[in-house]
């Protein structure tokens, strides 16, 4: 009898521990920790995801983190989700963190991207159409070209690729200098150059409002470093989709289009509204996307997520 009582007590204790663990796991899913490197496109997709999560009863917490810090945070469990795994631009980080299983590449969320060096139309018309044309043009027109490449924030994978190009003297760019700054500062410098019709070369990518605001062209020749076209993936910390399956299902469902992202980013840039307001307005105007995004997804308390999110529009 005493043995049976002990067994029952042990079983009850085990159930209690299991129950407590489940409660803790559920509670730990209530806040979704996301990262933003300070890029307009990720601010837009984070805003979309944040609106959905809030409508489902979750809390979305977004921290502005450089890409290397984001990958480290995913590995260490300090970041849950990153919607900005641009490939092949981030191949080095993929090899270091994803390939060995420290970070999980959960789903593709965007296709058909471009991310490489770009020039304004008047530079393109002058014959600069390939990476190899940059130094040729600068040597022929030293009064026009200052041998600078305007990049984004320090530590960004694209900057690392450009630094490698300079170090190896690929395309005869060994004497060129990479100017690292925020996305906004880079584009401000490009806009000033365009107004004066000055030579300038910079990191460009699509989707982004720059493709509408600037008359620009992407250079060929850098496919070894940047690929031809690419895709963007959703990353999570290891085990996140298993620990938080409802949020994991949402993240697996989420996919975006260039038109969607460009529309939201343009609203933010042109009308000076928040990413949250622009994302909500786009979803309100295109509610059919919710059917796919919320398929098989529940609210935090187990109710129909589609109805709950639509009620927030």
């Amino acid at each position: 009898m005493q043995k049976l009582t002990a067994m029952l007590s042990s079983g009850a204790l085990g159930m209690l521990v299991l129950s407590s663990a489940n409660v803790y796991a559920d509670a730990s899913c209530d806040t979704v920790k996301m990262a933003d490197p300070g890029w307009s496109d990720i601010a837009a997709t984070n805003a979309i995801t944040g609106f959905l999560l809030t409508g489902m009863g979750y809390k979305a917490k977004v921290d502005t983190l450089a890409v290397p810090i984001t990958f480290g945070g995913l590995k260490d469990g300090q970041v849950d989700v990153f919607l900005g795994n641009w490939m092949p631009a981030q191949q080095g980080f993929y090899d270091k963190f994803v390939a060995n299983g420290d970070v999980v590449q959960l789903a593709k969320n965007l296709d058909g991207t471009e991310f490489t060096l770009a020039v304004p139309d008047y530079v393109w018309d002058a014959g600069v159409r390939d990476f190899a044309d940059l130094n040729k043009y600068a040597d022929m027109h030293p009064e026009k070209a200052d041998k600078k490449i305007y990049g984004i924030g320090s530590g960004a994978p694209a900057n690392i690729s450009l630094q490698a190009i300079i170090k190896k003297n690929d395309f005869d760019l060994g004497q060129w200098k990479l100017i690292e700054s925020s996305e906004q500062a880079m584009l401000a410098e490009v806009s000033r150059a365009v107004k004066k019709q000055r030579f300038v070369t910079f990191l460009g990518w699509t989707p982004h409002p720059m493709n509408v605001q600037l008359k620009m062209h992407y250079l060929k020749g850098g496919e070894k470093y940047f690929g031809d076209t690419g895709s963007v993936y959703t990353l999570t910390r290891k085990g996140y989709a298993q620990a938080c399956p409802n949020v994991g299902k949402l993240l697996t469902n989420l996919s975006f289009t260039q038109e969607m992202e460009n529309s939201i980013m343009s609203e933010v840039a042109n009308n000076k509204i928040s990413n949250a307001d622009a994302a909500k307005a786009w979803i309100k105007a295109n509610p059919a996307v919710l059917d796919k995004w919320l398929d098989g997804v529940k609210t935090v308390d187990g109710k129909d997520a589609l109805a709950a999110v639509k009620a927030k529009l």
Side-chain angles (χ1 to χ4, degrees):
M1 185 66 179
Q2 288 179 336
K3 185 176 181 180
L4 178 60
T5 302
M7 290 175 61
L8 289 172
S9 297
S10 176
L13 179 61
M15 289 297 291
L16 179 61
V17 169
L18 182 60
S19 176
S20 298
N22 287 338
V23 169
Y24 177 78
D26 291 342
S28 69
C29 298
D30 290 353
T31 296
V32 183
K33 296 174 289 185
M34 305 167 70
D36 178 3
W39 302 341
S40 297
D41 58 302
I42 304 307
T45 54
N46 277 348
I48 291 171
T49 308
F51 175 77
L52 299 175
L53 288 168
T54 301
M56 293 159 54
Y58 293 88
K59 179 181 178 182
K61 182 178 183 293
V62 180
D63 288 320
T64 301
L65 303 170
V67 173
I69 304 300
T70 294
F71 274 87
L74 286 164
K75 178 182 177 180
D76 296 339
Q78 301 304 306
V79 176
D80 296 326
V81 180
F82 180 44
L83 298 173
N85 176 214
W86 281 67
M87 295 294 288
Q90 293 176 11
Q91 187 65 49
F93 286 93
Y94 177 94
D95 294 341
K96 184 176 180 181
F97 291 94
V98 180
N100 62 10
D102 287 339
V103 174
V104 175
Q105 192 182 74
L106 187 68
K108 182 190 295 184
N109 66 53
L110 183 68
D111 236 336
T113 61
E114 287 188 88
F115 193 12
T116 189
L117 290 183
V119 294
D121 58 346
Y122 54 87
V123 177
W124 176 269
D125 292 340
V128 179
R129 304 188 176 190
D130 189 281
F131 277 48
D133 295 329
L134 287 167
N135 197 59
K136 292 177 185 177
Y137 181 89
D139 284 346
M140 291 176 61
H141 305 281
E143 76 285 358
K144 295 181 180 180
D146 57 8
K147 294 195 176 185
K148 292 179 181 177
I149 297 171
Y150 290 89
I152 47 179
S154 178
N159 285 7
I160 294 172
S161 294
L162 291 171
Q163 287 165 341
I165 288 172
I166 292 170
K167 184 177 181 179
K168 295 176 183 177
N169 194 32
D170 277 0
F171 316 105
D172 291 325
L173 293 175
Q175 300 302 311
W176 285 58
K177 182 179 180 181
L178 173 64
I179 308 298
E180 297 183 306
S181 66
S182 68
E183 171 193 318
Q184 292 75 17
M186 179 194 76
L187 292 174
E189 177 62 33
V190 173
S191 295
R192 285 192 290 269
V194 168
K195 286 179 181 178
K196 297 180 179 179
Q197 298 284 285
R198 285 193 290 108
F199 176 94
V200 65
T201 182
F202 59 98
L203 269 172
W205 62 91
T206 179
H208 194 280
M210 72 173 85
N211 297 276
V212 176
Q213 296 165 344
L214 299 170
K215 294 179 179 178
M216 56 182 280
H217 296 272
Y218 293 96
L219 301 182
K220 295 296 183 182
E223 291 80 9
K224 172 184 173 182
Y225 293 93
F226 296 97
D228 188 6
T229 61
S231 301
V232 183
Y233 293 84
T234 299
L235 302 181
T236 67
R237 59 177 169 84
K238 185 177 181 179
Y240 181 72
Q242 290 73 35
C244 306
N246 192 51
V247 179
K249 176 62 175 173
L250 171 68
L251 296 172
T252 302
N253 289 351
L254 278 182
S255 62
F256 312 111
T257 66
Q258 305 238 8
E259 294 77 13
M260 175 194 307
E261 293 190 26
N262 278 328
S263 177
I264 293 170
M265 288 186 283
S266 295
E267 280 295 304
V268 172
N270 298 334
N271 297 322
K272 309 301 181 187
I273 65 173
S274 69
N275 281 283
D277 287 343
K280 180 179 179 180
W282 192 92
I283 295 171
K284 186 173 183 178
N286 301 271
V289 296
L290 296 175
D291 293 337
K292 177 180 181 296
W293 287 348
L294 298 174
D295 181 35
V297 179
K298 302 294 183 182
T299 63
V300 72
D301 55 357
K303 297 178 182 177
D304 180 37
L306 183 60
V309 171
K310 283 186 174 180
K312 298 292 184 180
L313 291 173

